[in-house]
Amino acid sequence: MIMEKLICTPAEFIEIIEDTVKKGGSMPLVVTGNSMNPFMKDGRDTVWLEACKESDYRRGKILLFRREDGKIVLHRVKKVLHDGILVMHGDAQYWCEEIKEEQVLAVVTFIERNGKKTSCNSLTYKIKIELWQLFKPVRLLLCRVQRKIKKVFGKSE
């Protein structure tokens, strides 16, 4: 399948997403930015978006949402608070932000890399995410070690 690149304003982008998912469709979006490293890399990975169901407002799910300032962000749910408040964070970040369910545009159902799709509901994927959360206190050290290993062995993605 060949996909065309679409260049549009943020308002047009939101309209396209909302229209597509509202009709029950699935929409690809190339990841930009580094806040979701190591599970998603800028320009390399594509996420597939679908309409968010009530069951998607839970820890571990990746949601596309609009911040109060209008910026579109793709982050993971860390915690669900009372009254539809979600605590969100990027996998590569140490800080969190709170959003309202009304700010959510879509949920990520698949992550595609090199033509291979990985379901966000697969057991393997969920285990990786839980381990990443568990190792949060030592993540910086793990990332430094990984970079050193890549440098020594000359392996790059």
Side-chain angles (χ1 to χ4, degrees):
M1 175 169 80
I2 298 173
M3 286 190 269
E4 291 182 39
K5 281 191 176 183
L6 178 64
I7 298 173
C8 58
T9 67
E12 291 168 329
F13 175 66
I14 291 168
E15 190 177 313
I16 292 167
I17 291 170
E18 288 177 330
D19 187 49
T20 302
V21 301
K22 205 177 286 180
K23 292 178 180 173
S26 182
M27 180 179 166
L29 175 69
V30 176
V31 174
T32 59
N34 295 306
S35 67
M36 291 300 288
N37 276 338
F39 296 100
M40 288 177 257
K41 192 170 180 181
D42 179 50
R44 177 189 69 184
D45 301 322
T46 299
V47 294
W48 288 82
L49 304 170
E50 291 183 9
C52 209
K53 300 178 293 289
E54 190 66 35
S55 62
D56 292 324
Y57 298 120
R58 67 173 194 245
R59 177 183 154 86
K61 288 290 188 171
I62 304 167
L63 304 177
L64 183 75
F65 62 93
R66 179 178 26 201
R67 285 185 174 148
E68 298 285 333
D69 65 3
K71 186 174 182 182
I72 308 300
V73 180
L74 190 69
H75 279 171
R76 192 177 304 282
V77 178
K78 181 175 181 175
K79 193 185 313 184
V80 179
L81 302 177
H82 57 84
D83 299 328
I85 303 294
L86 305 169
V87 178
M88 308 294 292
H89 70 95
D91 289 338
Q93 296 177 323
Y94 287 89
W95 56 274
C96 297
E97 63 185 308
E98 292 181 5
I99 65 164
K100 299 174 188 151
E101 286 180 9
E102 303 89 65
Q103 292 173 258
V104 176
L105 302 170
V107 62
V108 174
T109 54
F110 292 93
I111 300 169
E112 184 177 349
R113 179 176 302 160
N114 301 324
K116 183 182 178 217
K117 281 185 177 180
T118 300
S119 170
C120 293
N121 291 319
S122 76
L123 181 59
T124 304
Y125 178 79
K126 288 179 178 180
I127 290 170
K128 285 179 186 177
I129 298 308
E130 286 303 317
L131 286 172
W132 186 248
Q133 299 300 328
L134 181 67
F135 288 114
K136 185 176 182 178
V138 293
R139 268 193 227 155
L140 285 176
L141 177 63
L142 292 174
C143 289
R144 285 185 190 133
V145 169
Q146 180 188 27
R147 280 193 299 273
K148 294 256 189 218
I149 290 170
K150 283 184 178 182
K151 191 175 183 180
V152 168
F153 292 103
K155 184 178 177 184
S156 63
E157 290 186 41

